[in-house]
Amino acid sequence: MSAPPTHVDYQLSQLDQLEAESIHIFREVAAEFEKPVLMFSGGKDSIVMLRLAEKAFFPAKIPFPLLQIDTGLDFPEVLETRDNWVNRLGVRIVVASIDEAIKKGVVVDDGKTSRNRMQTATLLDAIEENGFNALFGGGRRDEEKARAKERVYSHRDDFGQWDPKMQRPELWSLYNGRIHGGEHMRIFPLSNWTELDVWHYLGQEEVELPSIYFAHERRVFQRDGMWMSENPLNPCKPGEEVVEKVVRYRTVGDLTLTGAVESDADTIPKIIDEIAIARVTERGATRGDDRFSEAAMEDRKKEGYF
Amino acid sequence: MDLLRFATAGSVDDGKSTLIGRLLLDSKSIFEDQLEAVEATSHSRGYDYTDLALLTDGLRSEREQGITIDVAYRYFATPSRKFIIADTPGHIQYTRNMVTGASTADLGLVLVDARQGLTEQSRRHAVLLSLLRVPHLVLAINKMDLVDWDQDIYEKIHDEFTNFATKLSIPDLAVIPISALKGDNVVTRSENTPWYHGPTLMHHLEHVHVASDRDLVDTRFPVQYVVRPKSDEYHDYRGYAGQVAGGVLKKGDEVVVLPSGMTSTIEGIDLFDREVDEAFPPMSVTVRLSDDVDVSRGDMIARVKNAPKPSQDIDAMICWMTNEPLRPRQKLAIKHTTRMGRAMVKEIQYRLDVNTLHRDQETKELGLNEIGRVQLRTTVPLLCDPYSKNRTTGSFILIDEATGVTVGAGMINSGS
């Protein structure tokens, strides 16, 4: 008999463990759901998701389409990256536009509601129209305390609502994908990843990212303590003064709400160094829409937001 | 860097949230905006200290009631290890939540209040962690500052617990005196416990050896998904994707596909676009076989001379998780590895009292949060191992077919 294998030889790094776990989730969903779709915004978490999906089914193509909610307020650099990824992988992308939704009367633009909030109704409409029953999202539990409670498989009723008190227990890696007609499941393969894991992984994989994540010169003005990009879609208010600064984005979203941070990190290793000592969360630093109330994220998720 | 998953347990007022807050704070995993929010809330409620528990109670209804109602997962890292905490509430519904949190844990952390000593709750948590085969256990004796760092109190609780643990299956136990509020022996060694020579809690968490807790002998590869590219470049490619559940798969190995019993040889193992010579738990890979055998999702690849026996009669411990009790003759959906089927309850042999370990054989049903030994008959054969040998091929979930809700967690004793 040969010597039993030693455990030292068979170790996976924590990043490899996270990757293996996420790939397992992608394959479970593809095997058990009729119409999965991957929510793709073009941001860093989306790109990690797409990379994991690519790996999960290689050498076959990703067996489900992508879904993007077009706010009409996306950064052009992000849209460019999105198109490059879609072309390289040869996947289908469904774009649900808020402008279209307003025209259809699905959402009402009252001039007060942010486009980010209007995403929810647009998304639910797209889910219904396409019959999607499993939606992959790049949400991570480390982002926010309501998200710390989120399951990997998160059940939504036929109004797209999340009820934290009715969550299914989630045991071992045995995911329960049973749903009734009209309901759907939100799937979070990155649940156990942190912002730093995402950056380490992007550094390891050397994949294309929107250029705005890296330090660059930009014309910006200060609003609510954040550096906002000068843009015709986001006009300055009186008293706001445009200056040129070296900045980068920690998250990408609606350009009227997402702020840049002053930074000279122009490579992934420099970004990792910067985040490792950051004292403010990515959302706290740059996402205006999470600042509405103590439970802003939880309340939006209950309505059907991602 | 490696990863340690641990589940916390403890009663309501034993300082669990404070301890987690302390671990997060001292490992610099709390950001200023989060801490400011907690300080502001503490202030607005008129507390005269910053309530670190507010960091972990994430839901509106939890904050309103000041209790934790569900498992939450939290993350922190030190230079040597990354940690995932399954923070399970000590409150009502303890069993269901503990089982959920412990199912994926490498280590269980049970907190007791030094003033109270061992309670029914501490014993129950130890029983559950042992039942779930969590290989490492830490008993943290908290609030030592409130008993004047009395060594006798520590020794008494230590001995009482060690004595109790001999009745359980706990391969590795550490007992650490701490003060979560003041930080003694949490991250930094305390000057108040010169009589204690063990590690601090953080040091123990960083160094406990978890890599050897997997089964690297018995090869188990549940097939999850069949990869067929149907492209010109990969015209004849046929790969079986899955996550290795046990043993080491090697190129050239002779294997058997269950339940069909067909044999073949591993032609190659693909990890995305590169080929690897071996795969081991918990790698997600794609396996190619040299023969064109029929393999589909739910099948299992194992070694010819070391394969699980397909079984439709399952003897298991079940934790019941819903209000409507489990009764004989009941039919449920069952998910075991990548295999779905239906199961019927043949017999409820006994209900286990997790406080006393007494086996109640008079019982006719299992209620919410109860654990019992049950015999099931399944429509499809399960390719299973005892849970004590393999936590992946030894576990299953039961699903209510009408509501779709997960209602039971099962740990297999044996199949026949």
Side-chain angles (χ1 to χ4, degrees), chain B residues 6 21 41-42 70 99 115 120 163 171 187 264 294 311 351-353:
Chain B
F6 69 97
T41 308
S42 298
D70 203 347
V99 168
R115 296 169 303 172
E120 207 174 280
N163 196 24
V187 174
S264 186
D294 177 21
S311 173
R351 187 181 61 82
L352 182 75
D353 185 325

Side-chain angles (χ1 to χ4, degrees), chain A residues 28 85 107 137 142 146 148 155 157 187 189 194 226 231 252 262 285-286:
Chain A
E28 278 302 280
W85 271 88
V107 288
D142 78 321
H155 180 262
D157 68 12
I187 315 282
T194 62
M226 298 186 292
N231 191 294
V252 302
E262 283 187 74
T286 62

Side-chain angles (χ1 to χ4, degrees), chain A residues 4-7 9-15 17-18 20-21 23-25 27-28 30-32 51 54-60 63 141-143 145-146 148-151 162 164-165 167-176 178 180 191-195 197 250 275 278-281 283-285 293-295 298-299 302, chain B residues 1-3 5 28 30-34 41 58-63 68-75 82 84 96 99-100 103-104 132 211-212 214 216 224-225 227 229 234 237 241-243 248 272-273 278 280 282-286 297 321 333 335 337-338 340 387 391 395-397 399 402-406 409-411:
Chain A
T6 57
H7 290 273
D9 302 332
Y10 295 109
Q11 297 242 41
L12 279 192
S13 73
Q14 65 100 5
L15 212 51
Q17 281 190 51
L18 291 177
E21 189 177 283
I23 286 176
H24 171 83
I25 295 162
R27 289 169 173 169
E28 278 302 280
E32 291 198 318
R51 180 63 166 176
E54 182 186 3
K55 289 192 173 196
F57 305 103
F58 188 86
R141 292 189 188 123
D142 78 321
E143 282 177 74
K145 58 192 169 187
K149 302 260 166 183
E150 184 89 67
R151 298 288 185 265
W162 180 61
K165 285 187 180 171
Q167 296 197 94
R168 294 173 178 178
E170 208 157 77
L171 299 128
W172 299 286
S173 51
L174 290 167
Y175 301 108
N176 171 3
R178 291 270 173 131
H180 292 107
S191 286
N192 286 326
W193 297 53
T194 62
E195 183 185 13
D197 294 327
R250 259 178 97 177
I275 296 168
R279 298 306 306 140
V280 180
T281 61
R283 287 192 169 265
S293 81
E294 195 182 8
E298 179 184 348
D299 292 344
K302 282 183 180 164
Chain B
M1 190 152 82
D2 69 351
L3 182 63
R5 295 168 195 257
K28 303 197 168 43
I30 292 174
F31 293 101
E32 275 169 14
D33 51 330
Q34 293 171 322
T41 308
L59 301 174
R60 188 186 283 280
S61 51
E62 289 179 321
R63 285 192 296 274
T68 315
I69 57 172
D70 203 347
V71 184
Y73 294 86
R74 302 180 200 286
Y75 305 83
K82 190 188 156 182
I84 300 178
R96 174 184 136 151
V99 168
T100 301
S103 71
T104 52
L132 268 292
S212 58
R214 297 160 300 160
L216 290 179
Q224 212 188 347
Y225 191 89
V227 179
Y234 295 97
Y237 189 97
Q243 188 167 20
V248 181
F272 184 41
D273 56 355
E278 305 181 303
F280 52 90
M283 284 172 77
S284 279
V285 293
T286 304
R297 174 174 167 86
M321 302 184 151
K335 187 173 186 185
T337 64
T338 55
M340 283 292 300
Y387 184 76
R391 285 167 88 182
S395 58
F396 60 83
I397 56 170
I399 299 164
T403 62
V405 172
T406 304
M411 289 157 280

Side-chain angles (χ1 to χ4, degrees), chain A residues 69-102:
Chain A
I69 306 299
D70 176 9
T71 58
L73 299 169
D74 293 304
F75 288 91
E77 296 92 335
V78 177
L79 296 178
E80 187 190 322
T81 307
R82 175 197 75 181
D83 293 342
N84 292 343
W85 271 88
V86 168
N87 290 335
R88 183 174 72 74
L89 297 177
V91 285
R92 187 166 70 91
I93 182 161
V94 178
V95 178
S97 128
I98 290 183
D99 283 329
E100 291 290 318
I102 293 171

